[in-house]
Amino acid sequence: MIQGLYLITPQGSDEQILKLVRAGLRGGARVVQYRDKERSREAQINLARQLVQLCGEAGATFLVNDSPELAVASCADGVHLGQGDGSVHDARRQLGPDKLIGISTRSVDQALKAEMAGADYIGVGSIYPTGTKDDAELVGLETLRKIRRAVKIPIVAIGGISSTTGAEVIDAGADALAVVSAVANDRQPALAVRELTLLFNRRKPAGETRVMTIAGSDSGGGAGIQADLKTITLLGSYGTSAITVLTAQNTLGVHGLSPASAGFVARQIDRVLDDIGSDTLKTGMLYSDEIILTVAGVIESRNLLCVVDPVMIAKGGAALLKPDAVEALRRELLPRTYLLTPNIPEAESLTGLTIRTLEEMEAAARSLQAMGARNVLLKGGHSSGDATDVLLVGSIIQHLTAPRIETSSTHGTGCAYAAAIATLLAQGQPLSVAASLAKRFISEAIRHAIPFGGGHGPINHAAGAKILRDEGRITRDA
C-alpha cells in the first residue's frame, strides 16, 4: 500500500543520497523513490541495491524511477513511470505480478486509463510550482480532488509540497505526499520528514493521537503537568507524562520544591515511549542542567518533534530553573527544539535583549531561531495593549492577536498554550494553524476563568476547549 511520506532522491553523490535517505527513514518516510539521470547503469544498480537494503531494514517501500530494467536488477519493490516511459502492461510483464507499478498523471482521463491498465497507484502533479523538474505542468488541488473522486487506487501528490501546504493536499485526497527539496534542502531532514508525516494524523480519530508532557507537578492544578494533561485530554488526545519536580504551591505562590533525579526522569520517559509512544513532546519546568541534558538526548535519539516552554520564573517570582541550567538550555535544548514558546522575560533572559516593542519581539524571535530553535512563538502577555504574540515559522513572521483581558486568573497560561499547540500538531495541524487555534483556546480559557484562590488563579481549560469544539475547530470525539 502506497501511503504516507514518499521521499524522492535528489541529485548528489552516493554518500549524500544515502545520508538523506537514512534521515528520511528515521523521520518516518514510508516510500523512497530513486530518481537518477546521471550515473551509468552499473552505478545506478549499485546505489539502488544499497537503498533497497536501507528501506528493507526500515520496513519502507523502495521504487525506482522510469526503468523496469533497473527495478529488476536491483530487486526494488516496483517502478514509477512517467507518461512517456512505456506502458503499465510492459512493466508488469518485466516485473511480474507482485511488484508495484505507478504512473504519473495530470488529468482525470490519464488517471482512469492508468487504473484500467492495472497501475497500483498514480502520481498526480505538479500540485504547486516546483524547481526540481523542468517540464512540470501545474495541476493544482481542484484537479487532484476530481481525480480522487474518479479512481479507487492510491494517489501520490507530487510537486512543490511543504509542511505548510501538505495538510490541504491530504484533505484534497492524497494518500501520500511526494517531496524532494522540502527534505533535501532542510538542515534537519529527519525532523522535516517527521513534521510532514504528522500531517497524516489529521485522518486519525483525535483520541488515537498521543502527547507526552515532561514538566513539574503543580499541586494547585493550574500549571505544570496537571494543566498540560487537562489541555491534552480536553482537546482530544491521549496524554502521558514524566514529572521533573514536585512542587508545593497554590495561587499564592510556590512554597517548596522536590526535584526528581535526572535518571528517574529518563526512566519515566523511556518506559512510556518504549510502550505507548508519542506523536509530539511538550516540555515545561525542567529545573536542572542534568534533566535538560536528559530531555535533549531523548529528543535527539528518538527524532521527536518537541514544543519547549522554557519555564524559568513562577508568577509569584520563584525561580523554576537553576542558574547553571540556563546555559544547558541554550546549548543543548534549543538546537533540538521544534517550537520554542518563551514569554518576554524568558526571551530577554535567553537572548540578552531588551524587548519593549513589537519590532523588538520580532528581532528577539529571530535571535532565538539563530540560537537553534527551528520555530519560535514569542508571547506578548507581558507587553501593553492587545495581547499580540509573534510566531516565526521558518522565515515567515505571523502576528497572533487577541484583546487583553484584565484578570488575575492567568496561572498556567504558558503551560496550557504550549500543550495545546503540541496536541494540535499531534492531530495533524500544520504549525501556523495549530498556533492560531491554541491562541483562541487560551484566550477563551482566560476569559472564562473562575477566580479560585487568593492570588493568581488558574484559567478555565474546559471553556477554551468547548469554544473550539463549538466552532468546529476540533472534532467532537475530543
Side-chain angles (χ1 to χ4, degrees):
M1 179 65 174
I2 299 291
Q3 61 183 5
L5 202 284
Y6 183 118
L7 178 62
I8 301 174
T9 60
Q11 295 180 355
S13 67
D14 287 15
E15 182 180 353
Q16 289 170 327
I17 291 173
L18 290 167
K19 182 179 179 180
L20 180 69
V21 170
R22 287 191 190 96
L25 294 170
R26 183 167 175 255
R30 302 311 307 142
V31 183
V32 173
Q33 179 187 314
Y34 173 44
R35 186 171 70 186
D36 190 347
K37 303 289 187 181
E38 297 181 338
R39 288 172 177 76
S40 68
R41 180 46 57 96
E42 182 179 353
Q44 287 179 351
I45 292 171
N46 180 61
L47 179 54
R49 286 177 174 171
Q50 294 181 72
L51 294 171
V52 165
Q53 182 175 351
L54 289 179
C55 290
E57 292 169 353
T61 299
F62 177 72
L63 307 171
V64 298
N65 193 56
D66 297 347
S67 174
E69 294 80 11
L70 178 58
V72 171
S74 63
C75 299
D77 295 306
V79 65
H80 183 86
L81 304 172
Q83 282 292 310
D85 295 326
S87 69
V88 173
H89 177 270
D90 289 341
R92 183 69 68 199
R93 179 174 51 80
Q94 294 178 72
L95 270 67
D98 299 327
K99 298 295 185 178
L100 295 170
I101 300 174
I103 187 166
S104 295
T105 64
R106 301 186 183 95
S107 67
V108 172
D109 183 59
Q110 289 180 351
L112 286 169
K113 287 180 179 177
E115 184 175 47
M116 291 178 64
D120 296 292
Y121 73 94
I122 55 172
V124 176
S126 181
I127 304 300
Y128 305 105
T130 175
T132 60
K133 198 169 184 182
D134 295 336
D135 61 348
E137 178 182 322
L138 193 62
V139 169
L141 289 175
E142 188 52 40
T143 297
L144 173 59
R145 293 187 187 96
K146 290 177 181 178
I147 292 174
R148 176 70 287 165
R149 291 192 292 267
V151 302
K152 295 182 174 62
I153 57 177
I155 295 174
V156 179
I158 303 170
I161 296 167
S162 68
S163 59
T164 302
T165 60
E168 63 185 8
V169 179
I170 293 169
D171 291 346
D175 298 287
L177 301 179
V179 295
V180 186
S181 57
V183 173
N185 295 343
D186 198 287
R187 64 184 177 87
Q188 298 173 297
L191 188 58
V193 171
R194 180 73 70 194
E195 182 180 23
L196 285 158
T197 299
L198 271 182
L199 297 176
F200 288 93
N201 280 6
R202 62 198 299 103
R203 289 185 171 169
K204 289 184 177 181
E208 292 184 11
T209 57
R210 306 150 298 170
V211 182
M212 184 177 203
T213 171
I214 306 170
S217 168
D218 175 2
S219 55
I225 288 288
Q226 287 82 349
D228 292 347
L229 291 176
K230 289 174 187 177
T231 299
I232 295 164
T233 302
L234 286 164
L235 293 180
S237 290
Y238 182 75
T240 60
S241 64
I243 297 176
T244 58
V245 182
L246 296 176
T247 70
Q249 65 175 294
N250 53 27
T251 67
L252 299 173
V254 178
H255 303 278
L257 299 172
S258 181
S261 68
F264 191 70
V265 172
R267 185 176 298 181
Q268 293 177 73
I269 296 169
D270 288 340
R271 295 295 77 77
V272 170
L273 295 182
D274 288 345
D275 179 32
I276 299 170
S278 194
D279 294 296
T280 58
L281 290 183
K282 180 266 176 183
T283 69
M285 179 184 178
L286 298 181
Y287 188 65
S288 69
D289 56 346
E290 295 91 350
I291 294 175
I292 288 172
L293 291 171
T294 294
V295 172
V298 168
I299 296 169
E300 178 72 21
S301 64
R302 296 179 184 264
N303 188 42
L304 289 168
L305 188 153
C306 188
V307 177
V308 173
D309 183 22
V311 176
M312 302 174 80
I313 301 173
K315 278 282 192 300
L320 301 179
L321 190 65
K322 294 171 72 174
D324 57 357
V326 176
E327 180 54 34
L329 192 153
R330 290 194 190 99
R331 184 184 68 251
E332 300 295 336
L333 195 55
L334 288 193
R336 295 170 174 84
T337 296
Y338 174 75
L339 176 68
L340 185 71
T341 65
N343 58 32
I344 287 175
E346 290 162 348
E348 289 179 328
S349 177
L350 289 170
T351 64
L353 300 173
T354 298
I355 304 171
R356 296 291 180 267
T357 67
L358 192 59
E359 291 74 18
E360 289 171 344
M361 288 178 68
E362 293 180 1
R366 295 195 186 280
S367 177
L368 289 165
Q369 189 180 62
M371 293 166 66
R374 186 176 179 88
N375 308 290
V376 179
L377 175 66
L378 178 46
K379 298 171 292 189
H382 289 77
S383 62
S384 58
D386 287 341
T388 298
D389 307 328
V390 169
L391 176 64
L392 176 60
V393 179
S395 61
I396 306 300
I397 288 278
Q398 180 180 350
H399 295 161
L400 305 178
T401 300
R404 186 172 299 278
I405 301 164
E406 296 301 328
T407 177
S408 61
S409 296
T410 57
H411 181 51
T413 299
C415 301
Y417 198 172
I421 295 172
T423 303
L424 293 161
L425 288 169
Q427 293 174 5
Q429 296 289 1
L431 176 54
S432 59
V433 176
S436 180
L437 291 176
K439 177 71 170 181
R440 177 85 168 114
F441 161 81
I442 208 68
S443 297
E444 294 304 317
I446 295 171
R447 186 187 313 281
H448 295 281
I450 299 169
F452 291 123
H456 292 287
I459 61 175
N460 190 334
H461 305 82
K466 183 177 185 299
I467 290 292
L468 294 190
R469 287 197 300 273
D470 289 349
E471 294 177 349
R473 309 303 294 275
I474 57 174
T475 57
R476 287 284 173 176
D477 65 355

